[in-house]
Amino acid sequence: MEFKNIIFEKEDNIALVTINRPKALNALNSETLKDLEAVIEMLEKDSEIYAVILKGSGDKAFVAGADISEMKDLNEEQGREFGRLGNKVFRRLEKLNKPTIAAISGFALGGGCELAMACDIRIASEKARFGQPEAGLGITPGFGGTQRLARLIGAGRAKELIYTGEMIKADEAYRIGLVNKIVALEALLDEAKAMAKKIAENAPIAVKLCKDAIDRGLQVDIDSAIEIEAEDFGKCFSTEDQKEGMSAFLEKREKQFKNR
């Protein structure tokens, strides 16, 4: 399947998804969001994909934000619907049943920062810049920024960044927990692929259930979360991969997982 604003590639069990609007610094318009939703639907159905890397085209930007030229003349209802579209797509990405890594080369502002936060792991180049500048445009963050940023870095720091519209560098993003790792720009994609490969070498069903336990557990109290973990832990013992992983460990041989 081909997309107008997204490039989809597959390397073994790893998917590489590139937002491809370099002249607009990969800004997200409705068309691109719908392309992304179609890609996510494809990924949901592909049992041979064990990890996903999301990046922007070129080195200047991961995604510079939502497309201001499209938003400028929206009325209240149209604005609400545009926000709902972005939130629906990003939530579907967040709930994707395989791990996602955002490889952030340059600007990740507004919708770009929100897109990165919808991924499980964020690797940034040393040239990356982050921010939620929406208040300076007369709007609020609309694709989950008011919710995910506070959950990732705490309400006080999130409010400061959102209220001021301050743009921060990669080292500050790392310090406050917004990104997992910083690497040189030229090493960014290799680092993301190396991490994706390491993830893909583990039992895919177990990784999927780890993600499920973490994400669902964060939404409930600790006692309920422990029950979720026990439920997912138990499910692993119905898989061939659990038998293979433990047998390989005891027999001191290389494991051969089959996603079953």
Side-chain angles (χ1 to χ4, degrees), residues 96-126:
L96 183 66
N97 63 353
K98 45 207 70 171
T100 53
I101 301 169
I104 304 155
S105 54
F107 294 113
L109 304 175
C113 189
E114 291 167 313
L115 178 60
M117 290 190 291
C119 294
D120 295 311
I121 296 166
R122 286 157 292 283
I123 303 176
S125 88
E126 56 199 2

Side-chain angles (χ1 to χ4, degrees), residues 10 27 44 69 85 103 199 231 253:
K10 188 173 175 180
E44 288 170 342
S69 63
L85 173 62
I199 291 168
E231 175 189 327
R253 61 173 173 80

Side-chain angles (χ1 to χ4, degrees), residues 76-167:
E76 181 176 348
E77 181 56 32
Q78 290 168 332
R80 187 177 295 115
E81 288 306 308
F82 186 56
R84 284 174 175 159
L85 173 62
N87 269 311
K88 179 181 71 165
V89 175
F90 287 14
R91 184 67 176 133
R92 195 165 179 179
L93 173 65
E94 190 172 43
K95 293 171 70 176
L96 183 66
N97 63 353
K98 45 207 70 171
T100 53
I101 301 169
I104 304 155
S105 54
F107 294 113
L109 304 175
C113 189
E114 291 167 313
L115 178 60
M117 290 190 291
C119 294
D120 295 311
I121 296 166
R122 286 157 292 283
I123 303 176
S125 88
E126 56 199 2
K127 297 185 180 299
R129 299 292 183 269
F130 300 83
Q132 299 288 164
E134 288 90 345
L137 298 170
I139 58 173
T140 69
F143 295 169
T146 59
Q147 304 307 309
R148 291 191 182 92
L149 190 60
R151 284 165 167 79
L152 277 170
I153 67 172
R157 192 71 173 102
K159 287 177 179 179
E160 179 186 346
L161 289 177
I162 291 170
Y163 295 173
T164 65
E166 175 189 4
M167 184 167 62

Side-chain angles (χ1 to χ4, degrees), residues 56-71:
S57 180
D59 295 337
K60 289 184 178 179
F62 170 67
V63 168
D67 195 323
I68 296 171
S69 63
E70 179 175 356
M71 291 191 291

Side-chain angles (χ1 to χ4, degrees), residues 22-253:
K23 291 182 180 178
L25 294 180
N26 305 319
L28 299 170
N29 57 9
S30 297
E31 185 177 60
T32 306
L33 288 169
K34 289 172 183 175
D35 272 359
L36 182 57
E37 184 172 30
V39 169
I40 294 166
E41 184 173 355
M42 189 168 64
L43 289 168
E44 288 170 342
K45 296 175 181 177
D46 192 337
S47 62
E48 297 302 312
I49 294 293
Y50 299 166
V52 179
I53 297 169
L54 186 65
K55 70 181 192 71
S57 180
D59 295 337
K60 289 184 178 179
F62 170 67
V63 168
D67 195 323
I68 296 171
S69 63
E70 179 175 356
M71 291 191 291
K72 178 179 175 293
D73 295 320
L74 299 181
N75 61 32
E76 181 176 348
E77 181 56 32
Q78 290 168 332
R80 187 177 295 115
E81 288 306 308
F82 186 56
R84 284 174 175 159
L85 173 62
N87 269 311
K88 179 181 71 165
V89 175
F90 287 14
R91 184 67 176 133
R92 195 165 179 179
L93 173 65
E94 190 172 43
K95 293 171 70 176
L96 183 66
N97 63 353
K98 45 207 70 171
T100 53
I101 301 169
I104 304 155
S105 54
F107 294 113
L109 304 175
C113 189
E114 291 167 313
L115 178 60
M117 290 190 291
C119 294
D120 295 311
I121 296 166
R122 286 157 292 283
I123 303 176
S125 88
E126 56 199 2
K127 297 185 180 299
R129 299 292 183 269
F130 300 83
Q132 299 288 164
E134 288 90 345
L137 298 170
I139 58 173
T140 69
F143 295 169
T146 59
Q147 304 307 309
R148 291 191 182 92
L149 190 60
R151 284 165 167 79
L152 277 170
I153 67 172
R157 192 71 173 102
K159 287 177 179 179
E160 179 186 346
L161 289 177
I162 291 170
Y163 295 173
T164 65
E166 175 189 4
M167 184 167 62
I168 60 173
K169 296 180 179 180
D171 57 353
E172 176 67 2
Y174 176 76
R175 188 188 71 80
I176 64 177
L178 183 54
V179 301
N180 297 70
K181 185 179 289 192
I182 303 172
V183 298
L185 178 60
E186 58 271 19
L188 178 62
L189 186 55
D190 286 342
E191 184 70 25
K193 287 182 177 180
M195 185 179 288
K197 183 179 179 183
K198 184 176 286 190
I199 291 168
E201 287 171 353
N202 288 322
I205 296 171
V207 173
K208 177 180 72 174
L209 290 170
C210 287
K211 175 171 179 171
D212 176 75
I214 293 168
D215 289 350
R216 284 202 292 145
L218 285 171
Q219 305 304 314
V220 298
D221 64 88
I222 185 65
D223 292 314
S224 300
I226 287 169
E227 284 302 311
I228 290 170
E229 183 180 275
E231 175 189 327
D232 283 341
F233 181 67
K235 288 178 182 177
C236 295
F237 289 85
S238 68
T239 68
E240 293 180 22
D241 284 350
Q242 174 267 326
K243 306 294 188 287
E244 167 62 15
M246 292 190 178
S247 295
F249 176 82
L250 293 172
E251 295 164 15
K252 296 181 172 57
R253 61 173 173 80

